[in-house]
Amino acid sequence: YGFINTCLKSLVVEKYGEETWERLRLQAGVQDSFLTFEVYKDEITMQLIDKACKILGVPADTVLREFGEYFFEFCKRSGYDHMLRTLGGNLYEFIENLDALHSYLSLSYQASSITEQEMNAPSFRVEKNEDGSMHLHYYSDRRGLCHIVPGIIGAAALDFFNIEISMEIVNQTEEEEERTGKKEHIVFLVTQNPVFSYKERNEFCSSPQYLADSEKQMENQLNKEDLEKAKNTIRDRGSSVCPVKKSHWKTIRGIITLGKGKLLRGFDPVYPKSLWIDTKTFCNGLPFHMVFDKELRVKQAGVSIQKIVPGLQTMGICLDHYFSIVHPEVPFTISSIQKFINSQFVFQTRREMMPESWKQRPMLELRGQMIWMESLQCMLYLCSPLLRTLHELEERQMHIADIAPHDVTRDLILLNQQRLAEMELSNQLERKKEELRILSKHLEEEKKKTEALLYAMLPQHVANQLKEGKRVEAGEFKECTILFSDVVTFTNICAQCEPIQIVLMLNSMYLRFDRLTTVHDVYKVETIGDAYMVVGGVPVPVPTHAERVANFALGMIIAAKGVQNPVSGNPIQIRVGIHTGPVLAGVVGEKMPRYCLFGDTVNIASRMESHGVPSKIHLSSSAYQCLKYKNFEMTERGEIEVKGKGKMHTYFLIRNKTATENEIMGRP
């Protein structure tokens, strides 16, 4: 079920991070999230565990044990805490009742599953040993997951019963004889050691029992002549540490007695000399019960079970002719039943033994416990019909009245009906939540694309202000460096080519230039036809604006050599002009807002480009002054007549003395 995979995801994300989970699930080829009550293939879980071992570099048994410990905590956080705590008063009882818990959960999980697939839970059987250890038998259809068990049981033992346990696998060869239907049978030797807190240890050490044990131990070690002296010493120590004072409770307990003078501290049941119930009342009061002997011959059956399985009215028939054992999956023999007598047994009626008119109905399942009656050498099966919903009751043409009033199966069917409705609602909410998560993820991706497009058109801080509905004030920049470039003989090229060829040529060139803006961190203002305009120091003022634009210009000259002239087939030539000075920058328009630069600096930079030389970078005197001491090689052009500006002293930028071509182009 999705609950297992969700737990595994939670473990990886919590301990190793979201990135590790993303890597893990991509390698395993599984989805990002799982629905709690949805059935998924076992291969998904196996793939996740296998890839986790490889990615984390941890052995499988370590990963599974860690998963087992985390799974226990995950179950508690998921609302199963009280259910787990009340399974048993000690570890033995806790393990013994795990199958009953799985049986209860299967009522809801199976009926809520889309595939109607039976919950295929592992099974546990525990045996006590004389030395206080236990043998835990683990049965599962899933091979290779047995190392989860020490993690789960160890965590439960420490949390619920304050004991540390060690579990080691014991090789067993009797699995096929003992149990059928399960692929894996592992036997663990479980040894327990109590864990005391500091306070508990002090209380234990000062207790009369501990002192008595200490006294006994010391007696064995001391010489005979010192024995009396040692006894007196220990007795004195016991009196000082834990003075013997009869408490109020002890006084009362000494007075009050139960029955024939027996104290309240113990309980001995009292049985009547003869059974005060007649056969008819017993069979009516327990309508679902059967008694059978070692040969599986039926000796007695309740009235309701006789009604459903008419063959049981013939006493002495063999039980295995009419029923098969569904759980635990053991051979239908008295010895197998006795071995698993602490387990819940589920019987299913055999279709071939039912009356012809009943064979189309779903077969009835009975669930209950086995009790061995030594004096009669017979087995009593106390059971109830295993029904999950009212629909299942109707399918078998049964009624609530067929179930004894004292049988909680009545309440279970009605409560489960309501719980299934709640679980279906929970499933729908989970699906909607997952749909919303996916939509939210797609929305976030689209938002990032939109923002990337917006930031390509406007500076980020300006775009953010516009998104918030704020008015963007124009800003004055005291010093920045502006670059213009154009394609030499662009008008002639346009006259001799198809429009698509011009578009392809410009696109090829601008893609190269756009990449260079990222390399040198300059702002692309706009492109008009073949003209390309960038600025350094705007919208974010930086002291190195001239160097950035100069390096960008050198990269443009190199990049242009890779763009082909569609007329001649030779590389295109560009002119580049650069000028440094003050500008005013602001957003113009509302429908297609643009971040524009205003001022004489823009005009002079444009003149540097138009009065430039092919494949050269033309500098104004102000740009030259900014680059003069910055490791750039420049040559003087002299005075030239500039349209609208008169005579101007200009220069050519040749190269960067310290940067290689790869550094200029941003290549590795």
Side-chain angles (χ1 to χ4, degrees), residues 301-369:
V303 293
S304 291
I305 204 168
Q306 292 180 36
K307 180 180 173 184
I308 296 165
V309 186
L312 293 178
Q313 291 183 309
T314 307
M315 296 302 161
I317 62 159
C318 284
L319 189 64
D320 57 342
H321 291 173
Y322 286 85
F323 292 94
S324 58
I325 299 178
V326 175
H327 178 84
E329 297 175 57
V330 295
F332 209 141
T333 62
I334 201 73
S335 58
S336 296
I337 293 171
Q338 284 177 324
K339 189 170 286 186
F340 286 84
I341 199 162
N342 291 325
S343 300
Q344 281 194 336
F345 275 78
V346 177
F347 281 10
Q348 185 181 61
T349 54
R350 292 186 181 275
R351 190 175 298 277
E352 64 272 15
M353 300 303 290
M354 293 296 103
E356 196 64 35
S357 59
W358 294 6
K359 288 187 177 179
Q360 301 307 314
R361 302 179 193 173
M363 292 297 98
L364 178 68
E365 289 186 346
L366 302 172
R367 181 180 63 183
Q369 69 173 118

Side-chain angles (χ1 to χ4, degrees), residues 86 98 123 181 204 341 357 402 472 569 654:
T86 53
L98 282 176
S123 184
F204 178 74
I341 199 162
S357 59
D402 294 326
V472 182
I654 307 302

